[in-house]
Amino acid sequence: MTSTTPVTHPRPHVTHEVFNQSTPRVDVNEYELNHVLAEAVARHDAGWADDELRQVGALVGSAQFQHDAAVANTLTPELHTFDRWGHRIDEVEYHPSYHRIISAAVAHGAHTRCWEDPQPGSHVARAAIFLLFGQIEPGHACPVSMTHAVIPSLELQPDVAALWVPKALSRNYSPELSADKDSAIFGMSMTEKQGGSDVRANTTVARPVGAGGPGADYLLTGHKWFCSAPMSDAFLVLAQAEGPGGEGLSCFLLPRVLPDGTRNVFRIQRLKDKLGNKSNASSEIELDGTVAVMVGEPGRGVRTIIEMVAQTRLDCVLGSTAGMRQSVAEALWHARHRAAFGATLADQPAMTAVLADLALESEAATVTAMRLARAHDEDAGDSERAFRRLATAVAKYWICKRGPHHAYEALECLGGNGYTEAFPMAMRYREQPVMAVWEGSGNVIALDVLRAMTREPESVAAFDAEVNLARGTYPVLDTHLDRMRRELAELARLGPADAQRRARRAVESMALALEASLLVRFSPAAVADAFVAARLGDDRGFEYGTLPVGTDLQAILARH
């Protein structure tokens, strides 16, 4: 028998209700939520920048900025070698979202805030701004960092600095290539196919137009295997100088556009298909009679450009630290808004332990990065400069190496969501390794530490004095500091080959000593207790979430 009662569907095509998913993590103030960073800003004499940092925190935490970040890493740069009529143009097209991001970063001084009005805490304020922008969108931070770092190298050549430093200091941003601009974004390109980190093996030749020498024009012919941000307005490059003005590997400023408005020869062969850093274009280029001006003394190109590298290595530390902060923030947000087995994930003991361990690593990186930023201020004395020489390399090695696994563990906290491109953790997981590669991979940095120990022994004394400020609080830390001293003394007695084989072990010991000593001095007891026990004590685990029994997990998480 067939019913004549009509069947109604009040909610057609709705099979279920979405619940127990975290709300979007948007329209938050990333600075106000980052208590560790805010404390470091105040502690290191940059409290005067607090209002600006709050503005930046609100900007980068906004839904629009996060959307731009996602789009810039999805609709990636595209190379246009020729225009429609066949003219060679060598241009890279970016999505407007990328230009909005880098424009905002430049407007807030993420590139040169510390150079505009040097005062105690200037580098700290700039580092915090850079970190906040890099936390949400890391790709644009590459040209921002290079523009920041180029200033000390340019100032070695006053006539060149007079023209280019004001442009680099500008808070205006224009993506157009033009000789009439009052602003400039800088890049750097050193490595070649055959050399990699061994830049003295470079074969690019620089021939003088006239007599040559510092400040003179040269014509460069050769190639560069990695050239990031190829749409920058100018680059520092290394080339083998020829002629009576001097010979040997020298540093040159290479403009994309010549003073008469014509394009310099800058052939972009292809864009690199990279693991991460997708929003930022990296390229292979060829130079063929390309005009450039010598910066610094002939044959001392490495010494000239190392002024830039010292700054960008600090930015590698800041970039990895920014990534750790994003990882912790996203993992905590998810865990605090999702329930399982009768409680939120954040309140499940196993998850709480993982989150607290991730937060502990992030706090150690943040405290260390900001301490290093303070050491780069202009009021730094001889001891501070010696400390930063060694400590920056040590932190670059360790913090950048900790980044990738930290991102992976945070990704896992989001489960399947973390493994999708709809959430930022997949991007962050791909992004973190670049900081360990850029400006010297692990072995290069470890060998640089050996070089500093040998050539600048005062840096060892300054580093030792810094970490020993925390002596006497924890026997475990005191034991580690004693062991570090013995390791460094033994390293100094070894031959070159044996010293190289032991370098990584020594740098790791130094990094843990530095992080632990800073946390003991500057962070709450619960944080210091956990770090010293978990990273230096006998009750150590190999994975995140293996903190010793008795650790005050909630006190650690309350700071994040």
Side-chain angles (χ1 to χ4, degrees):
M1 183 175 179
T2 303
S3 172
T4 58
T5 304
V7 177
T8 60
H9 296 282
R11 300 179 65 193
H13 314 303
V14 177
T15 62
H16 67 286
E17 181 179 349
V18 177
F19 67 100
N20 198 28
Q21 289 278 358
S22 63
T23 58
R25 190 178 180 278
V26 297
D27 296 327
V28 298
N29 192 305
E30 296 290 4
Y31 179 65
E32 292 178 351
L33 292 175
N34 194 339
H35 301 299
V36 179
L37 178 62
E39 288 174 4
V41 167
R43 178 170 59 246
H44 295 303
D45 305 311
W48 46 265
D50 211 53
D51 288 343
E52 184 174 13
L53 288 167
R54 291 178 188 277
Q55 293 174 23
V56 173
L59 171 64
V60 302
S62 68
Q64 181 60 56
F65 191 91
Q66 293 192 34
H67 176 70
D68 279 342
V71 171
N73 281 276
T74 304
L75 302 178
T76 55
E78 183 178 353
L79 172 63
H80 301 294
T81 309
F82 299 91
D83 67 12
R84 69 180 71 180
W85 299 281
H87 303 114
R88 182 108 194 192
I89 57 173
D90 295 293
E91 292 183 359
V92 179
E93 181 181 7
Y94 298 81
H95 191 272
S97 61
Y98 175 86
H99 292 304
R100 286 193 293 269
I101 288 171
I102 192 171
S103 179
V106 169
H108 283 281
H111 59 329
T112 54
R113 177 67 181 82
C114 56
W115 310 121
E116 296 168 8
D117 180 25
Q119 59 180 294
S122 289
H123 274 265
V124 177
R126 181 262 161 186
I129 294 171
F130 180 82
L131 191 151
L132 288 167
F133 275 101
Q135 175 184 330
I136 306 303
E137 204 300 293
H140 81 286
C142 175
V144 167
S145 173
M146 291 188 291
T147 305
H148 155 72
V150 76
I151 301 297
S153 292
L154 291 180
E155 289 179 339
L156 296 175
Q157 193 63 47
D159 52 339
V160 175
L163 173 63
W164 286 98
V165 167
K167 294 186 177 185
L169 292 177
S170 173
R171 291 204 183 190
N172 296 323
Y173 168 74
S174 170
E176 304 302 322
L177 293 177
S178 169
D180 298 327
K181 289 167 58 174
D182 64 356
S183 63
I185 295 296
F186 270 82
M188 173 175 60
S189 190
M190 294 193 291
T191 60
E192 297 182 2
K193 294 183 179 74
Q194 73 286 344
S197 297
D198 184 9
V199 295
R200 296 191 183 279
N202 284 5
T203 61
T204 296
V205 174
R207 297 183 173 89
V209 174
D217 285 343
Y218 283 72
L219 300 181
L220 275 55
T221 301
H223 79 283
K224 295 296 171 184
W225 187 230
F226 263 92
C227 177
S228 282
M231 288 299 285
S232 298
D233 299 289
F235 301 82
L236 286 194
V237 302
L238 294 176
Q240 303 287 354
E242 296 182 350
E247 298 179 353
L249 191 65
S250 305
C251 181
F252 298 87
L253 185 149
L254 187 162
R256 280 294 319 258
V257 181
L258 299 175
D260 63 2
T262 60
R263 296 283 180 93
N264 208 353
V265 180
F266 190 90
R267 296 180 185 144
I268 303 176
Q269 301 300 96
R270 61 176 174 173
L271 299 185
K272 297 287 191 179
D273 187 8
K274 298 172 293 184
L275 168 68
N277 210 241
K278 294 291 188 178
S279 69
N280 172 47
S282 297
S283 61
E284 299 166 22
I285 63 171
E286 285 192 351
L287 312 174
D288 187 4
T290 304
V291 178
V293 58
M294 182 179 285
V295 176
E297 294 298 317
R300 294 180 61 82
V302 173
R303 182 60 185 163
T304 301
I305 211 166
I306 204 69
E307 298 291 334
M308 187 176 187
V309 172
Q311 298 289 333
T312 49
R313 282 183 176 174
L314 174 59
D315 281 359
C316 287
V317 176
L318 292 168
S320 292
T321 300
M324 289 185 184
R325 172 58 191 167
Q326 183 181 42
S327 296
V328 169
E330 294 292 337
L332 271 172
W333 185 270
H334 175 82
R336 286 169 174 165
H337 289 82
R338 185 172 176 85
F341 309 111
T344 62
L345 287 177
D347 292 325
Q348 300 285 358
M351 180 61 82
T352 305
V354 172
L355 294 170
D357 214 350
L358 291 170
L360 194 66
E361 193 75 28
S362 176
E363 179 155 352
T366 302
V367 170
T368 302
M370 301 310 284
R371 171 67 182 93
L372 288 174
R374 183 64 180 92
H376 281 75
D377 278 326
E378 288 200 7
D379 65 346
D382 292 343
S383 179
E384 275 287 271
R385 289 193 291 271
F387 164 72
R388 80 190 188 202
R389 167 66 182 93
L390 193 56
T392 302
V394 167
K396 161 71 168 79
Y397 173 89
W398 181 248
I399 292 174
C400 294
K401 282 199 173 298
R402 299 290 284 177
H405 187 64
H406 186 274
Y408 153 70
E409 193 68 56
L411 180 155
E412 189 176 295
C413 291
L414 275 67
N417 285 351
Y419 202 65
T420 69
E421 297 293 346
F423 291 79
M425 290 312 303
M427 178 274 292
R428 181 54 63 184
Y429 181 57
R430 292 193 305 270
E431 191 70 29
Q432 285 292 58
V434 73
M435 296 301 168
V437 174
W438 190 36
E439 300 300 19
S441 56
N443 284 343
V444 171
I445 299 299
L447 295 178
D448 186 54
V449 171
L450 290 183
R451 187 180 303 110
M453 292 171 59
T454 301
R455 298 179 181 179
E456 304 169 65
E458 66 276 9
S459 66
V460 180
F463 186 93
D464 185 73
E466 176 75 22
V467 298
N468 275 279
L469 290 173
R471 185 179 284 276
T473 308
Y474 294 90
V476 172
L477 175 56
D478 292 351
T479 299
H480 180 82
L481 294 174
D482 292 338
R483 183 167 56 248
M484 183 198 76
R485 279 180 171 174
R486 291 194 299 271
E487 288 176 344
L488 297 185
E490 182 180 352
L491 200 63
R493 293 192 293 267
L494 295 175
D498 289 334
Q500 286 193 24
R501 282 190 284 268
R502 294 286 298 275
R504 283 184 172 228
R505 181 185 181 95
V507 176
E508 177 178 327
S509 179
M510 295 170 74
L512 287 170
L514 178 59
E515 288 187 328
S517 68
L518 292 172
L519 291 179
V520 168
R521 292 164 56 200
F522 301 137
S523 294
V527 174
D529 290 348
F531 190 89
V532 170
R535 304 296 192 262
L536 304 180
D538 294 331
D539 191 13
R540 285 179 284 179
F542 292 102
E543 291 288 345
Y544 288 105
T546 57
L547 294 173
V549 175
T551 298
D552 192 343
L553 305 178
Q554 294 302 332
I556 296 171
L557 289 175
R559 298 170 56 72
H560 299 270

